[in-house]
Amino acid sequence: MLGRLIGRTGLLLALISPVAVAQQYPAKVITILVPAAAGGPTDTVARVLAPPMAKDLKGQVIVENAGGAGGTIGAGRVARSQGDGYTLYLYHIAHSTFPALYRKLTFDPVKDFEPIGRVTDVPMTLVSKKDLPAKDFKELLAWIKANGKKVSIANAGVGSASHLCGLLFMQAIQTELTPVPYKGTGPAMNDLLGGQVDLMCDQTTNTTSHIKSGKIKVYAVTTKTRVASLKDVPTLDELGLKNFELSAWHGLWAPKGTPKPIVEQLSKALQVALKDPTVVQRFADLGTAPVKDSDATPAALQGQLKSEIERWGPIIKAAGQYAD
Ligand code: ASP
């Protein structure tokens, strides 16, 4: 009787041990939560990645959008989710700027998440509505200086990459503009296309197609060197904003407590997906590229997150920017 009981308990323990969990994984649909609106840059990256990851995992991967407050609403939801491998979180540089920008955060970006790997470093572009009169960056600066706070600049909320870029841009040109927050730069782009806002600094994953079709104007890219798919567009550094350098590095995380074998399986699936020719091509069309294998790992993402928290903390604090 006792032997049978121990036998059953042992079986039960074996069933719920991390290795056993990983062996059955995935047994249901995996959700990648994107903490921004549908149709925006993070959503695009997630939807490009999901099918090849699903193929490698031999399961189903779907994308869910939970935008708002620069991504902190979705990030908080993931932090409170069960670490069972069925909720993942794809976000970018914003995950490292939250602690400096928010006085009250309901989660800890390091302690509440299990890193899976880095994904891609997306360049950003300074773009405007089509009928803005300035035909180049010099004219844009003159127009901005003449109009000051009358100039609106869209972003995806305090903490988003577009917010950070706008902040750095205003600092660099020493002029305050009027930021207009959205739940993601997907909806912000709709307003830029419609001419309801003047400017936006947004990722190439959201701006490239509209730039190429002439529906918006582009003045500069934010990376140190030019972007291959937009090779005629100068860098802000070239245009005189010395050392302006920003790209939205992306990472894939799971909630804390996700079993190690599952994290490893997800990391491998991420590496496989990033080498998929369709992903490579799609990213190239969108002005970006997958990170190398050695960066699509938990250790590389954790290192990146920690060094970026240290990098942005003092810069943001010096800018005196906070959200409650
Ligand atoms: N990641 C946001 C989005 O997908 C944009 C941003 O961070 O600026 O809408």
Side-chain angles (χ1 to χ4, degrees):
M1 172 71 185
L2 190 65
R4 225 168 52 209
L5 202 68
I6 291 170
R8 272 197 204 148
T9 315
L11 184 70
L12 208 68
L13 281 178
L15 279 177
I16 56 168
S17 79
V19 177
V21 169
Q23 272 161 4
Q24 293 159 13
Y25 179 79
K28 57 179 187 181
V29 178
I30 300 168
T31 301
I32 300 181
L33 190 132
V34 164
T42 318
D43 184 56
T44 298
V45 171
R47 286 177 202 275
V48 171
L49 268 190
M53 279 192 74
K55 191 170 165 212
D56 185 73
L57 292 163
K58 298 184 180 64
Q60 232 189 312
V61 180
I62 60 162
V63 176
E64 191 186 323
N65 303 85
T72 52
I73 293 173
R77 230 177 85 183
V78 174
R80 289 184 297 275
S81 300
Q82 226 185 324
D84 55 8
Y86 295 103
T87 302
L88 309 180
Y89 162 75
L90 181 89
Y91 212 29
H92 52 42
I93 186 168
H95 199 68
S96 70
T97 58
F98 289 155
L101 281 165
Y102 281 83
R103 287 184 211 265
K104 286 182 230 130
L105 263 192
T106 58
F107 58 89
D108 183 317
V110 178
K111 292 197 190 118
D112 293 339
F113 294 81
E114 212 69 70
I116 294 168
R118 291 182 60 179
V119 177
T120 178
D121 295 349
V122 183
M124 301 186 75
T125 45
L126 181 64
V127 291
S128 79
K129 63 182 181 187
K130 194 180 164 191
D131 59 4
L132 198 123
K135 69 171 181 321
D136 57 23
F137 185 70
K138 199 168 156 236
E139 287 190 15
L140 177 70
L141 272 190
W143 181 82
I144 287 175
K145 297 273 179 194
N147 289 285
K149 285 205 86 171
K150 275 190 260 160
V151 177
S152 56
I153 180 161
N155 66 43
V158 175
S160 62
S162 44
H163 168 259
L164 179 64
C165 187
L167 196 73
L168 297 176
F169 179 63
M170 288 189 279
Q171 245 184 356
I173 62 167
Q174 296 186 342
T175 308
E176 238 187 285
L177 312 176
T178 299
V180 184
Y182 292 81
K183 280 192 175 168
T185 52
M189 178 58 81
N190 289 340
D191 275 7
L192 193 73
L193 289 166
Q196 283 94 349
V197 277
D198 299 318
L199 297 174
M200 179 155 72
C201 182
D202 193 21
Q203 300 163 62
T204 55
T205 35
N206 203 35
T207 59
T208 305
S209 63
H210 300 304
I211 291 170
K212 295 210 161 167
S213 64
K215 291 196 191 121
I216 55 175
K217 278 186 180 169
V218 62
Y219 294 95
V221 294
T222 63
T223 38
K224 198 69 192 237
T225 53
R226 290 191 181 201
V227 174
S229 57
L230 295 169
K231 58 180 183 336
D232 297 333
V233 183
T235 68
L236 281 172
D237 182 86
E238 263 175 68
L239 292 164
L241 303 190
K242 285 292 156 211
N243 300 319
F244 197 109
E245 190 178 2
L246 185 65
S247 63
W249 59 267
H250 287 57
L252 186 65
W253 287 267
K256 195 76 194 170
T258 305
K260 197 154 181 272
I262 290 184
V263 171
E264 281 165 4
Q265 203 178 329
L266 287 165
S267 183
K268 196 202 123 242
L270 173 65
Q271 290 164 17
V272 169
L274 290 177
K275 287 195 285 275
D276 187 292
T278 357
V279 173
V280 176
Q281 185 56 53
R282 187 86 181 98
F283 274 10
D285 293 343
L286 294 167
T288 192
V291 296
K292 54 183 190 306
D293 252 15
S294 56
D295 281 339
T297 61
L301 179 55
Q302 194 73 332
Q304 172 76 0
L305 176 62
K306 287 188 176 164
S307 69
E308 286 282 285
I309 289 175
E310 275 170 31
R311 175 181 171 207
W312 292 110
I315 297 173
I316 291 167
K317 284 196 176 120
Q321 292 281 326
Y322 290 105
D324 287 320

